[in-house]
Amino acid sequence: MSSNQDILARRLAASPRGVGVMYDFYADRAQNATLWDVEGREYIDFAGGIAVVNTGHAHPRIVGAIRERLERFTHTAYQIVPYESAVRLAERINAVAPIRSEPCKTALFTTGAEAVENAIKIARTHTGRSGVIAFGGGFHGRTMMTLALTGKVAPYKVGFGPFPGEVFHVPYPNALDGIGAEDALTAIERLFKTDIEARRVAAIILEPVQGEGGFNVAPTALDAVLAARCAMNTASCSSPTRSRRALPARESCSPWSTMASSPISSPWPRAWPAACRCRPFVAAHASWTRQPQAASAARTRPTCCRSRRHWPCWT
């Protein structure tokens, strides 16, 4: 059996240094959260394939499903010869997606970068706009477009520019750096004044939980107000998981007819639209409305919009 050092020497000779590798030992087998290297040393796997092996290594149901599929066929290319299991998976994702106003559809891609690239293409094509807003500290992939969206220079972007244009970054809420949701939202409004008008923005993309920028969790207020801002300007608001699936907005909401109070502080929204299916996912600033009314009127159920949800199909 080869040793770790033998395989390391072979890797350095056979693979470019551009493929970064964190550890100098090589996996031989794994079970649940335990991993053994080629020399028989035992490790607890806290990485989980970068947070994707949620069920542990070699889960019997997953192994069984893979075996059953491989016994039927290896690969047909879904675009050439489709298969029912992909349709069934899309149906399951659609059933749990937070989109209730219309039938949801899911497109499946191989990698996170490919999914993000397609989300941007869909948003740009559908809206006829080119601008995309991303967040500092975010990671979206290593292709040129996803590198442009990524908000971290080293080690991902060093030496690879220029990157695709019409991508703008704003700060992501981060308690360690003293950046709150209001700071991030103010930065977006400033962006609309200094770099790109709101109606030229096709999409806003963010990670609900960042990893590369530090383990930062997006405040609920941030998600709510971004959704509202997208709705008012018919942009797409993409909040991807690691698979980064997203849907573009198709139409804007009508003017809010009634308003209710919310805890979000000035200068950003102090009000929730009162439509039954809009709360609590969206918020609107009084200055964005054409028919502002007293908050007490929010006890009614107006038909302020068709409740289009600008959120992704994500598992």
Side-chain angles (χ1 to χ4, degrees):
M1 180 180 291
S2 300
S3 68
N4 288 315
Q5 287 302 312
D6 289 340
I7 301 175
L8 174 61
R10 290 164 53 198
R11 179 179 70 81
L12 294 176
S15 300
R17 291 179 299 166
V19 181
V21 177
M22 181 173 292
Y23 292 107
D24 59 0
F25 63 87
Y26 292 79
D28 177 56
R29 61 189 177 90
Q31 183 70 39
N32 202 358
T34 305
L35 184 150
W36 291 265
D37 71 6
V38 294
E39 297 177 3
R41 294 188 180 90
E42 184 176 318
Y43 303 85
I44 298 175
D45 184 4
F46 285 101
I50 312 182
V52 295
V53 188
N54 296 337
T55 59
H57 293 282
H59 191 287
R61 289 182 59 187
I62 294 177
V63 172
I66 294 173
R67 181 181 294 113
E68 187 272 338
R69 183 53 47 187
L70 288 176
E71 288 173 350
R72 289 178 176 273
F73 57 85
T74 302
H75 176 62
T76 66
Y78 183 81
Q79 301 94 319
I80 307 300
V81 181
Y83 32 88
E84 184 187 5
S85 58
V87 176
R88 188 164 57 246
L89 176 58
E91 290 171 339
R92 292 182 64 184
I93 294 172
N94 296 341
V96 299
I99 301 173
R100 298 291 179 264
S101 59
E102 61 180 307
C104 179
K105 294 185 178 182
T106 293
L108 304 174
F109 300 102
T110 306
T111 66
E114 187 182 4
V116 170
E117 292 265 5
N118 278 280
I120 299 303
K121 289 193 294 182
I122 291 169
R124 283 179 165 176
T125 301
H126 188 84
T127 62
R129 307 172 184 185
S130 57
V132 182
I133 297 175
F135 285 80
F139 176 79
H140 298 288
R142 293 179 173 86
T143 61
M144 292 302 286
M145 184 66 208
T146 56
L147 279 178
L149 295 168
T150 292
K152 186 177 181 180
V153 175
Y156 302 109
K157 304 172 78 165
V158 175
F160 293 133
F163 300 104
E166 295 286 78
V167 174
F168 307 89
H169 289 87
V170 295
Y172 191 95
N174 180 347
L176 182 64
D177 296 330
I179 301 172
E182 193 167 311
D183 299 313
L185 299 170
T186 299
I188 293 176
E189 288 301 295
R190 186 179 300 114
L191 197 69
F192 292 153
K193 294 179 180 178
T194 61
D195 290 284
I196 183 171
E197 61 180 296
R199 291 191 174 275
R200 283 187 51 227
V201 175
I204 297 174
I205 182 168
L206 75 153
E207 298 164 291
V209 180
Q210 285 191 338
E212 284 292 331
F215 293 104
N216 305 313
V217 181
T220 302
L222 179 68
D223 293 342
V225 180
L226 287 179
R229 201 63 167 101
C230 290
M232 300 308 292
N233 291 281
T234 64
S236 158
C237 192
S238 163
S239 179
T241 60
R242 286 198 62 78
S243 54
R244 294 176 173 84
R245 301 174 181 89
L247 296 177
R250 290 188 173 87
E251 62 184 53
S252 62
C253 292
S254 301
W256 309 119
S257 59
T258 60
M259 309 298 292
S261 62
S262 93
I264 304 174
S265 59
S266 177
W268 274 75
R270 291 182 177 274
W272 298 107
C276 58
R277 287 184 294 178
C278 287
R279 299 178 69 185
F281 295 102
V282 295
H285 193 283
S287 64
W288 303 345
T289 66
R290 300 175 189 173
Q291 300 174 9
Q293 296 182 15
S296 60
R299 295 186 180 88
T300 62
R301 282 177 173 252
T303 55
C304 70
C305 69
R306 293 183 61 188
S307 300
R308 300 278 184 176
R309 289 276 57 77
H310 314 304
W311 294 112
C313 292
W314 53 296
T315 55

